[in-house]
Amino acid sequence: MANRAPGSRPGRTLGALGLLVLVMAGTLLAGIRWSDASLAPKLALDLAGGTQIVLTPVVEPGQGEITDQTIDDAIAIIRQRVNASGVSEAEVSSQGGRNIVVELPGSPEEQAQARELVRQSAQMRFRPVLVEAAALPPQPEPTATPTGEPTATPTGEPTGTPTQGATSEPDATIAPAPTATTDQRAVPRHLGAAGTPTAPATPAPTGEPTDGTATEGAPGEEAPAPEPTSPSDLAWITPEIQQQFAELDCTDESNLTGGAADDPTQPLVTCSQDGLAKYILGPVEVEGTNIASAEAGLAVTAQGVQTNTWVVQLEFDGEGAEAFRETTERLVTLPPPQNQFAIVLDGLVVSAPRVNEPIPTGQAEISGSFDQESAQTLANQLKFGALPISFQVETEDQISALLGSEQLQRGLLAGVIGLGLVVVYSVLQYRALGLVTVASLVLAGLITYLAIALLSWYQGYRLSLPGVAGLIVAIGITVDSFIVYFERVRDEVREGRSLVVAVENGWKRARRTILASDSVNFLAAVVLYLLAVGGVRGFAFTLGLTTLIDLLVVVMFTHPVLVLLARTKFFGGGHRLSGFDAEHLGRTVAYAGRGRVRQPGRARRGPAAPDQPRMTLAERKAAERKAAEQERAAQEQPASQEQSESENAGSSRAKES
């Protein structure tokens, strides 16, 4: 009966690996059947073509000069936005030290969300709310009827005209983290008809007297408008601002594209991103660049109990925390809607939460009727929305992939040639054992293909030309692991051990080397992925992925298969074509079992051979030591006799004299 290493269960290991491959293949086929998965992985810009967008910086009032650092910061934020949208292998780089070039792979339909994120100048700012109203279209001007009588006009104030102190209580609130209990507003409440705010609490700051008497100054002249004392002062609402607010139609899609002039020192008339409300906002109080972090998560009570309510945790840096503290201390004392704090992204209001209490630490929590998706969207807008400068789209062109396709064909040809040479070398060097190398490479290629196809479907991964290069390099890494293992086993066979024992001992010795080698390769891939950009990251990703797959195949396929082959007569008996032939390996001593050895080429004898008794390994080593001692003694004995005879001759001459 063949010897079996204790604890060796190659059948179970191979079964687990087969199950893993079936699960991966089944998941991909299910995605093809019931989703938008595909057998062919998605290709990157250099292989499939895509869109190239060139952004030109625009200096707005209060932004200062454009420097290399601001361009680098903008590139980093745009790259984060594109990656967050699920598009991988996108190229974001500087052109001439001023423009930013964004290259998005895939068809225009696949790039829709990413292109919108790129087009947004996305200047994130925080402004106090002065007036809020429902976003209904303006009413038409009164016109004459056929009889000459004017039509009736709506009662009350003119449609869309803001009033100071307009009451509008939103559902969203902002409070010190981690305590806040609010609902996010979808549509403003307590609004007047046709989007007009409710009756004012104080007179409009137009400078007109309320009793009809003239004010100081020349007769007929209007009194000068009072100077605003804070960003929340209603004196910012001039007649021009009132006119803009009245004429703003937030149901018009052209008013929801963002990118409008946004002077941080002046009030802003704008819409919400969803087009359901319009606002008059005071000057900027906190810049979006002062946001340190923004994360979506489940709310935690003051007692540390996690709830099922989704919130957004917001934290400012030192400068932003101080400005935010001063702002919240003022807003909390004001009536609605002046106690609201508008988050403005690219000139549109993302959210306008109500301030419940002062926030001195710079750590706030925005709560409301969020679900996971809406909370994560707001967190991403806060985290990635603050560009240091504004941009406008200079050009947007579709680019082809003719050069990439040609290079891909050449790369695949090089990979096939390299794989063929590896197969030829393995068969010549290891004979039938080389077929194990071929089978392992085929399995590694299948798992790699399934992994890339699944990542392409589930994570939006795209295979680039550098990624293909990483796959070709992986062939050498995988074969290197097999060579290390096979040579360790052959070393054990040379030392006289049977193949079953040699496979297990060789695996113990090779495992440490393989783990060390793959760990170095994987660490290099991780460092390269984190530090590099663009196509180099594609190379690093496939290099790291194939390194992990190489380790999986060696552990769960190559080693178990070799254990099973060692139990066969062809391999275990040392056939000259097996790759474990004793004569071919130069073995001088063969292990015969039960601690006994035999010389190669000598006929195997039965138990009845009294002229040449069998010896155990220990007996053989003891006999070798004894023979060595006898040889040394034989060499030393003639020298001792010669010295003794010389001494005796000397004594005889002395006596004669």
Side-chain angles (χ1 to χ4, degrees), residues 210-223:
T210 57
D211 56 359
T213 60
T215 58
E216 295 183 3
E221 289 185 359
E222 295 183 356

Side-chain angles (χ1 to χ4, degrees), residues 21 51 67 78 112 153 167 169 178 300 333 429-430 459 513:
V21 174
T51 303
T67 63
I78 292 175
T153 59
T167 59
E169 183 182 1
V300 179
T333 63
Q429 177 68 19
Y430 297 107
Q459 293 292 337
T513 305

Side-chain angles (χ1 to χ4, degrees), residues 10-284:
R12 292 188 178 182
T13 305
L14 292 174
L17 180 62
L19 180 61
L20 174 63
V21 174
L22 289 177
V23 169
M24 295 178 66
T27 303
L28 181 61
L29 293 176
I32 296 173
R33 175 64 177 83
W34 291 290
S35 185
D36 58 350
S38 173
L39 281 177
K42 294 181 180 179
L43 300 179
L45 183 72
D46 54 356
L47 299 178
T51 303
Q52 183 183 71
I53 302 175
V54 179
L55 303 175
T56 301
V58 177
V59 180
E60 295 184 355
Q63 287 188 339
E65 298 181 354
I66 299 175
T67 63
D68 292 341
Q69 185 61 44
T70 56
I71 294 295
D72 292 340
D73 293 342
I75 289 175
I77 293 174
I78 292 175
R79 184 178 292 116
Q80 288 174 324
R81 284 195 216 155
V82 173
N83 292 338
S85 69
V87 177
S88 63
E89 296 295 338
E91 296 278 355
V92 184
S93 58
S94 173
Q95 184 184 68
R98 188 173 181 87
N99 293 345
I100 295 180
V101 179
V102 183
E103 296 177 336
L104 303 173
S107 64
E109 294 76 14
E110 296 173 332
Q111 306 162 354
Q113 181 182 4
R115 292 207 317 274
E116 289 300 324
L117 291 174
V118 170
R119 289 193 187 101
Q120 289 180 351
S121 60
Q123 191 73 30
M124 177 71 71
R125 285 166 172 165
F126 295 83
R127 293 173 175 265
V129 175
L130 301 181
V131 174
E132 179 183 22
L136 297 179
Q139 297 295 326
E141 295 292 335
T143 57
T145 62
T147 59
E149 297 179 359
T151 58
T153 59
T155 59
E157 295 190 18
T159 300
T161 302
T163 57
Q164 299 89 336
T167 59
S168 174
E169 183 182 1
D171 293 338
T173 64
I174 184 168
T179 58
T181 55
T182 62
D183 294 320
Q184 185 183 10
R185 172 192 48 77
V187 180
R189 296 180 297 177
H190 306 296
L191 300 175
T196 304
T198 55
T202 57
T206 60
E208 295 288 345
T210 57
D211 56 359
T213 60
T215 58
E216 295 183 3
E221 289 185 359
E222 295 183 356
E227 291 292 330
T229 58
S230 72
S232 297
D233 195 336
L234 296 177
W236 289 106
I237 307 177
T238 63
E240 292 78 8
I241 296 295
Q242 292 181 6
Q243 183 67 22
Q244 292 180 26
F245 185 80
E247 295 176 353
L248 179 62
D249 180 11
C250 291
T251 62
D252 186 353
E253 292 293 334
S254 62
N255 292 328
L256 302 179
T257 58
D262 186 6
D263 187 347
T265 63
Q266 297 297 321
L268 177 68
V269 178
T270 187
C271 302
S272 62
Q273 281 189 331
D274 54 14
L276 297 178
K278 59 182 180 179
Y279 299 87
I280 300 179
L281 307 176
V284 173

Side-chain angles (χ1 to χ4, degrees), residues 128 285-286 322-332 341:
E285 302 212 61
V286 184
E322 179 63 23
F324 196 61
R325 178 189 63 79
E326 296 176 358
T327 302
T328 54
E329 287 178 351
R330 183 186 72 251
L331 295 184
V332 75
F341 202 47

